[in-house]
Amino acid sequence: HFILIAKNFEGVKEINRLASKSFDRKDGHYYYVPRIELSDVLNTSDNIICTSACLGSPLNHASLETQKILLDFMSRNKHRCFLEIQHHNVPDQITYNKKMVDLSKQYGIPLIAGTDTHSLNETHAKGRVMLQKAKDIIFGEEEGWDLIFKDYNELIEAYKKQGALPPEIYIEAIENTNVMAS
């Protein structure tokens, strides 16, 4: 999990090329799990914004060597790379948020606040759960996660409830999300 966002039309074309390439590998993974390789990410242009994403990020699961390579890339591209914290009130997210803050300080990579939104509101969240049950899809790691869209005030309250970070950190991350969007 690593997010690439097009800054402009050239970025859209670049991401389209990467997505097409992810389905055209010779190692057999393309059919069920197409993916963009680390080397592809490292060779993206300034037309692409990169964020570290959620707990599924290589910064949480990859080898220390891969994490170092990715952090070196992100620190050389601070103008378009961001480390992401999230508001979910679960121990793994709290630990990961603290790690992202430490890495931000160490490497000077700005923080943003992601939400891992899967539903617009409570009604849609219930519908999502029903659909998952109907398809026998269970994501056990979602227990305790809040995957509903948040406005600014709701997000501030969620970070307060999480209690993992000082307000100045998560407020700056939320504001940096607007910087990234601009």
Side-chain angles (χ1 to χ4, degrees):
H1 297 213
F2 196 78
I3 298 172
L4 303 179
I5 303 168
K7 288 171 68 173
N8 51 39
F9 187 64
E10 289 304 311
V12 170
K13 293 191 292 188
E14 187 173 344
I15 287 175
N16 282 343
R17 283 190 298 275
L18 290 170
S20 294
K21 185 179 177 184
S22 76
F23 280 92
D24 191 25
R25 303 273 185 198
K26 305 297 183 219
D27 61 7
H29 80 266
Y30 63 92
Y31 185 74
Y32 290 106
V33 188
R35 66 176 175 254
I36 295 170
E37 301 288 337
L38 178 61
S39 59
D40 295 327
V41 172
L42 300 178
N43 288 306
T44 57
S45 74
D46 279 355
N47 296 314
I48 304 293
I49 296 168
C50 304
T51 83
S52 64
C54 62
L55 286 170
S57 172
L59 294 178
N60 196 36
H61 292 291
S63 69
L64 291 178
E65 179 183 345
T66 298
Q67 289 184 43
K68 176 81 170 106
I69 291 168
L70 194 53
L71 286 165
D72 286 344
F73 165 78
M74 293 178 83
S75 68
R76 287 191 317 274
N77 291 278
K78 294 174 194 165
H79 61 287
R80 65 183 184 102
C81 291
F82 300 87
L83 297 171
E84 186 172 322
I85 60 170
Q86 295 187 1
H87 67 281
H88 311 296
N89 197 7
V90 296
D92 287 349
Q93 186 67 59
I94 290 168
T95 301
Y96 188 67
N97 282 354
K98 291 176 181 179
K99 177 180 178 176
M100 292 299 99
V101 170
D102 290 344
L103 290 173
S104 176
K105 289 176 183 174
Q106 181 180 350
Y107 288 89
I109 304 165
L111 290 170
I112 60 167
T115 58
D116 209 354
T117 299
H118 291 219
S119 305
L120 181 60
N121 55 39
E122 192 68 43
T123 301
H124 288 191
K126 289 176 185 173
R128 178 177 179 265
V129 169
M130 287 189 294
L131 181 62
Q132 286 176 296
K133 286 181 181 178
K135 291 184 170 190
D136 198 27
I137 298 171
I138 299 168
F139 298 110
E141 68 275 3
E142 285 185 4
E143 187 66 36
W145 286 39
D146 181 357
L147 302 172
I148 298 171
F149 176 80
K150 300 277 180 259
D151 66 22
Y152 181 85
N153 292 328
E154 291 168 332
L155 194 53
I156 293 289
E157 286 304 312
Y159 276 107
K160 282 182 189 175
K161 182 179 175 185
Q162 185 189 61
L165 304 173
E168 62 271 12
I169 298 288
Y170 59 76
I171 289 171
E172 180 179 352
I174 293 169
E175 294 304 323
N176 283 343
T177 308
N178 292 326
V179 169
M180 180 198 71
S182 293

